[in-house]
Amino acid sequence: MKKIEILPSLLAADYGWLADGILRAEASGADALHIDIMDPSFVPNLSFGPDIVALARRTAPNFYRNVHLMMRRPDLYLEAFAQAGAQTIQIHIEADCDLHTELARIRTLGVKPAIVLNPETPVERLTPYLDAVDEVLVMTVHPGYGGQKFIADCLPKITWLRARRPDLDIMIDGGANAETVVDAFKAGANQFVAGSYLYRQADMKAAVAELRERMAAAV
Ligand code: DX5
Ligand code: ZN
C-alpha cells in the first residue's frame, strides 16, 4: 500500500503570519506543504506566486513543497516555480498547453510531475498521461477557494484510478476533514490535502495524528 501523506494547504493560513503558518504545518508532523497558485483566467481567484514557494523553502528547507498550479498557462511559469523550490508541480488537465511536453519538462527541471483533474472532468481523460506522472490529484471541490464542501461524487474516480494503477500516488484536495479523508482513503487515495480543517485547529499536530488514526482504523 502507498504511504499515507497529509498536506496542510497554506491557502488557509493567516497571511499576516505566513512563515508561522509554514512552521506550524511542519511541526504538525504533516508530510508536505501544499501551496495553491491561482490564476484568475483559470479559477475565480488569485493567490500566491513563486516568491511564496521561495518563502516556504527559506522558512522550512526540509519540509517538502507540493505546488498546485491552478493556471491556464502553467507552461509559462514552470522554470520560475522550479527555481523557487517546488518539489512536485501539479498541472491541470484542463490547462491550455501541451500536457505531454510540459509534464516531461517538469521532470527535466528535476521536479516531480503531477496531473490534476477538476470535478467535472471525466477520469478516463487521464489515461494518456498516467505513465508520465508520479501523482494524480483528484479535485474534490471546484478549485478557487478553501473551505468548500467535499464533493463525494468524485470518489469513483479514485476507485477507477487505483484499480488501474496500484503504484500511483493519488491525492485529494478540497473539503477534507476527519470523515471525508476516510471515505477518500477507502476509495484508494493515499495523499490528503487539508486547508481550513487543519489550520482552524488549536492543535494541528493532534489533528494530523487523528487523521492518520482514523485511516489506520479503516484498513
Ligand atoms: C482549492 C485549493 C485547495 C484548498 C483546499 O482551490 O486547491 O488546496 O486550499 O481547502 P480546504 O481544505 O479548506 O477545502
Ligand atoms: Zn490545492
Side-chain angles (χ1 to χ4, degrees), residues 84-124:
Q87 290 167 289
T88 295
I89 291 182
Q90 306 175 315
I91 60 174
H92 274 256
I93 196 166
E94 303 86 3
D96 196 359
C97 62
D98 185 294
L99 291 165
H100 280 298
T101 303
E102 302 313 325
L103 290 168
R105 198 149 68 89
I106 293 171
R107 209 181 280 289
T108 306
L109 289 166
V111 176
K112 288 188 175 184
I115 195 156
V116 191
L117 192 71
N118 276 340
E120 64 276 13
T121 305
V123 69
E124 295 80 8

Side-chain angles (χ1 to χ4, degrees), residues 3-202:
K3 182 178 174 235
I4 289 176
E5 296 188 9
I6 295 173
L7 299 90
S9 169
L10 192 62
L11 192 69
D14 180 338
Y15 298 165
W17 306 93
L18 263 190
D20 278 2
I22 294 163
L23 291 171
R24 239 183 109 200
E26 183 181 39
S28 74
D31 300 276
L33 185 67
H34 182 79
I35 306 174
D36 285 305
I37 311 297
M38 294 182 185
D39 149 15
S41 71
F42 190 74
V43 291
N45 202 359
L46 300 91
S47 61
F48 311 133
D51 286 350
I52 300 301
V53 177
L55 172 74
R57 178 170 59 186
R58 210 161 58 237
T59 305
N62 300 319
F63 193 33
Y64 193 93
R65 292 170 294 280
N66 174 266
V67 177
H68 178 188
L69 301 186
M70 284 163 271
M71 303 177 72
R72 192 172 64 80
R73 290 292 307 274
D75 53 310
L76 302 178
Y77 292 87
L78 296 180
E79 277 82 7
F81 283 104
Q83 270 167 25
Q87 290 167 289
T88 295
I89 291 182
Q90 306 175 315
I91 60 174
H92 274 256
I93 196 166
E94 303 86 3
D96 196 359
C97 62
D98 185 294
L99 291 165
H100 280 298
T101 303
E102 302 313 325
L103 290 168
R105 198 149 68 89
I106 293 171
R107 209 181 280 289
T108 306
L109 289 166
V111 176
K112 288 188 175 184
I115 195 156
V116 191
L117 192 71
N118 276 340
E120 64 276 13
T121 305
V123 69
E124 295 80 8
R125 277 192 53 199
L126 285 173
T127 305
Y129 308 107
L130 290 180
D131 287 334
V133 298
D134 291 345
E135 178 180 280
V136 172
L137 170 55
V138 175
M139 290 307 298
T140 44
V141 296
H142 297 284
Y145 295 95
Q148 303 182 76
K149 192 176 176 301
F150 184 84
I151 303 173
D153 285 348
C154 298
L155 290 171
K157 294 182 182 178
I158 300 170
T159 313
W160 186 94
L161 279 165
R162 182 56 79 210
R164 279 155 189 82
R165 296 297 298 268
D167 55 310
L168 199 65
D169 279 317
I170 303 176
M171 181 179 293
I172 60 138
D173 183 12
N177 60 40
E179 284 78 43
T180 56
V181 294
V182 175
D183 295 339
F185 172 71
K186 285 183 181 161
N190 66 299
Q191 297 174 315
F192 308 88
V193 174
S196 48
Y197 178 74
L198 287 178
Y199 274 97
R200 74 164 171 255
Q201 306 284 338

